[in-house]
Amino acid sequence: MTIRRPTRLARFVPRRLASFRFAILLLFLVPMMVTVMAIVYKMSERAESVVYQLSSRIVEEIGEKVVARATGIVRTAEGHLLSNAAVAAATRVIPGQVLFSDLFWQQVVFTPELTGIYIADQAGNFVQARTEPEPATRVIDRGVTPPTERIIVRDRDYRPLAHLEREPAFDPRERPWYGNTRPERRLQWTDAYRFSGSGRLGITVTYPLLDGEGRILAVLGADATLDSLSAFLSRQDIGPNSAAFLLDERDRLIAYPHRLGIGGGSDTGPNVGPNLGSADTNGLPIASEVALPWVRNALGSIGPFGASARSDHAYRSVTHGRTYLAHVIYFGEGFGLPWRLVIVLDEADLLSEAQRALQESIVISAIIVMLALFVVYPMAATFAESVEQLTRNTQLLRLFRPAEVVPVTSAFREIREMDQAICSMRDTMVLVESRLPTEVVRALATGTLKAEEPEFIRLCELGFSKYRAGAWDEAIAAFSEALVYAPDDRACALLIAHCERLRSDGAAAPPRGPNDSIITRA
């Protein structure tokens, strides 16, 4: 007899669980769970590409707005300055000239981004219209004795509100914007700095008026505030943990959302390092000194100016378990302001909708699995009960207890066929049990045959073979010898009498009656 080794699956399945019910559920649930896991994996994999696509779309949209806004401020200042240069070149600079005061006032009043427009010549004469720290016109005339400075505070309609006339203490030729202007016929921009009068962040653009030999006769200037850029960035609804920043080539923050408290304060104090407002940075925060960890790490991931020239690349950083993507857009080099817009996006903000959809898919899949389980489990239970009953019937037949065999009703064809075979075996065993001695049946059932009893069985089998062949004398001899081992065996005595009757009738073969055929098969 060959003993089969258990399969690999059977080695990992506990014996108490190795049932048809468990096998059916396993065959159903494992493919279902594998399918769900595959779907979840593909969706998470797809979500990553969606993040980059969505972040690129957001960067493109916000980038266009911010660049257009910053470029609009610069172009507005440039347009006013070039037109003023044309007027100044045509009229020449006249100390105390009212034309410039009126012109400059109209420009600053109707251009909120400009806080001051002015002109200064090599003699120190100065004409200015400003809106900060208070709306006023200012004229310094050093062509008279003594020199005078006249400041007229005005309302929005240019009506004078107050006059101040004094000896000038201000010399425009000593200001950096004048001294740093080169004798080149082009617009020249300063770095971003905070205006001394208002403390607001801004930049200054200058344009020189030159004589025939290329020497500076006068310098026109305009102050443009950048606070509106921070306000504009604050209005961009990117996400609760996402923001856009404007940096210059020195990694100073030119503009940033007000809600982050950079350069100001928050409930826990200013979100900047100790060097904010130092002379080296003109009072602007440095990206590496921002106290907010996610902002500092995200801005640090893009590297210094010029090191990351790819605008289509997302720089990844992780802070407190959250992943941030930083996108860089370079602009401003065309008008002498090498700036870059950095848009930092929280991956969780981008994935919020995708994660919600993924969670809904998982819940729906779980519901489907549960519903299917409620359908499959009763079927598996019914099938398992049928198989278990067939197993019990087989064990009863092995123990020669056919009377206890219970027929099995099932909708499965294989189960019905197995039940029919077992019932046929039961009927046969009932008949055999009625013909064979009770002691033999019990011995076969309990496996307690004595040493000489196998010889009794051999002689019975020999008698049956001779009986089927029609050898009556040899069959009678075999059954008679078997009676030596079981003198009280009624079956052998009945078969001897049956063979003698057939011999006396001259029969050449045993009859084919139903009773005799059953005994023969037994």
Side-chain angles (χ1 to χ4, degrees):
M1 180 177 179
T2 303
I3 300 177
R4 296 183 179 179
R5 300 181 61 185
T7 62
R8 293 184 178 181
L9 180 61
R11 297 175 186 175
F12 297 100
V13 178
R15 298 186 65 85
R16 62 185 179 87
L17 295 179
S19 64
F20 277 101
R21 182 185 290 107
F22 175 77
I24 294 174
L25 294 178
L26 193 66
L27 290 175
F28 170 77
L29 290 179
V30 169
M32 176 68 73
M33 296 304 298
V34 169
T35 303
V36 172
M37 292 175 63
I39 293 174
V40 172
Y41 173 77
K42 294 300 293 183
M43 290 188 66
S44 62
E45 191 179 50
R46 174 65 177 168
E48 184 175 357
S49 62
V50 171
V51 165
Y52 285 101
Q53 295 175 4
L54 184 59
S55 63
S56 300
R57 192 178 305 117
I58 293 175
V59 168
E60 181 179 357
E61 180 181 351
I62 296 180
E64 291 179 355
K65 293 180 180 179
V66 175
V67 171
R69 182 82 175 194
T71 303
I73 295 175
V74 172
R75 294 306 183 193
T76 299
E78 288 181 347
H80 288 320
L81 208 60
L82 291 176
S83 62
N84 295 342
V87 173
T91 61
R92 298 298 177 180
V93 180
I94 300 175
Q97 187 177 113
V98 178
L99 173 62
F100 287 121
S101 297
D102 297 343
L103 177 61
F104 294 169
W105 177 263
Q106 295 298 323
Q107 291 173 344
V108 296
V109 165
F110 293 102
T111 310
E113 294 82 5
L114 299 181
T115 61
I117 299 178
Y118 41 84
I119 184 172
D121 62 11
Q122 58 186 351
N125 298 308
F126 183 69
V127 179
Q128 179 192 40
R130 68 190 187 194
T131 57
E132 295 180 357
E134 71 281 329
T137 57
R138 182 183 186 185
V139 176
I140 297 178
D141 188 357
R142 285 188 168 86
V144 297
T145 304
T148 60
E149 178 182 6
R150 186 171 64 255
I151 299 177
I152 304 176
V153 179
R154 302 178 182 273
D155 61 10
R156 187 173 181 82
D157 295 327
Y158 201 58
R159 291 190 294 264
L161 300 177
H163 295 261
L164 174 63
E165 189 168 337
R166 62 187 178 184
E167 186 175 350
F170 172 79
D171 191 343
R173 295 169 296 184
E174 298 176 357
R175 302 301 298 167
W177 58 266
Y178 188 98
N180 294 333
T181 301
R182 298 178 182 179
E184 301 173 0
R185 287 188 174 89
R186 64 178 180 85
L187 294 168
Q188 302 174 41
W189 290 91
T190 66
D191 289 336
Y193 65 99
R194 294 195 178 276
F195 297 148
S196 58
S198 62
R200 297 177 65 183
L201 182 66
I203 52 177
T204 297
V205 59
T206 61
Y207 185 86
L209 294 178
L210 307 179
D211 60 12
E213 298 179 2
R215 293 173 298 188
I216 294 179
L217 294 176
V219 175
L220 290 113
D223 295 333
T225 179
L226 299 179
D227 287 350
S228 61
L229 289 179
S230 292
F232 183 75
L233 294 180
S234 299
R235 293 193 297 269
Q236 303 307 307
D237 186 14
I238 307 175
N241 298 299
S242 303
F245 306 89
L246 196 61
L247 283 73
D248 63 5
E249 76 280 5
R250 295 164 59 185
D251 285 340
R252 299 181 306 168
L253 290 173
I254 303 300
Y256 42 82
H258 295 315
R259 63 181 172 83
L260 299 179
I262 300 176
S266 63
D267 295 339
T268 58
N271 291 322
V272 290
N275 294 327
L276 175 67
S278 63
D280 294 338
T281 62
N282 290 330
L284 300 180
I286 302 296
S288 60
E289 298 175 356
V290 176
L292 291 173
W294 68 273
V295 175
R296 183 176 63 252
N297 294 338
L299 296 181
S301 66
I302 64 177
F305 189 88
S308 53
R310 294 182 58 186
S311 297
D312 59 342
H313 182 68
Y315 297 86
R316 186 182 296 267
S317 62
V318 179
T319 303
H320 298 156
R322 301 179 72 96
T323 302
Y324 296 87
L325 303 176
H327 296 261
V328 184
I329 299 177
Y330 290 87
F331 72 101
E333 296 182 355
F335 42 78
L337 291 174
W339 291 347
R340 54 180 173 171
L341 174 65
V342 181
I343 302 176
V344 180
L345 302 172
D346 185 2
E347 196 174 56
D349 291 344
L350 299 175
L351 280 176
S352 58
E353 293 297 330
Q355 288 177 343
R356 187 178 297 108
L358 181 61
Q359 292 172 355
E360 292 177 355
S361 300
I362 294 176
V363 172
I364 293 174
S365 300
I367 293 174
I368 293 176
V369 170
M370 295 301 296
L371 292 176
L373 186 61
F374 281 116
V375 174
V376 173
Y377 183 80
M379 296 177 60
T382 302
F383 182 80
E385 290 175 359
S386 301
V387 173
E388 290 173 357
Q389 185 61 47
L390 290 176
T391 303
R392 286 193 295 269
N393 290 342
T394 304
Q395 293 174 349
L396 292 172
L397 293 178
R398 184 176 63 83
L399 298 175
F400 286 88
R401 295 160 57 184
E404 299 180 22
V405 173
V406 178
V408 177
T409 303
S410 175
F412 299 100
R413 177 174 56 84
E414 292 78 4
I415 299 294
R416 293 198 302 269
E417 292 177 352
M418 292 177 63
D419 181 65
Q420 292 174 2
I422 291 176
C423 289
S424 298
M425 294 174 62
R426 179 199 61 184
D427 297 338
T428 301
M429 293 185 70
V430 168
L431 183 58
V432 169
E433 187 177 24
S434 65
R435 299 293 183 177
L436 292 179
T438 305
E439 291 78 6
V440 175
V441 175
R442 290 178 180 176
L444 292 173
T446 58
T448 57
L449 287 173
K450 298 180 181 179
E452 65 274 10
E453 288 177 345
E455 184 63 20
F456 169 78
I457 295 176
R458 186 188 69 79
L459 292 172
C460 288
E461 290 178 350
L462 177 62
F464 272 115
S465 64
K466 297 301 181 179
Y467 172 79
R468 295 188 188 98
W472 313 122
D473 294 335
E474 296 178 6
I476 293 173
F479 289 128
S480 298
E481 189 175 354
L483 284 174
V484 176
Y485 296 95
D488 298 330
D489 184 63
R490 295 171 57 192
C492 288
L494 178 63
L495 288 171
I496 292 173
H498 190 54
C499 289
E500 290 176 348
R501 185 170 56 256
L502 292 175
R503 183 179 61 182
S504 62
D505 293 340
R512 297 299 179 182
N515 294 334
D516 196 78
S517 64
I518 294 175
I519 295 176
T520 304
R521 288 197 300 272

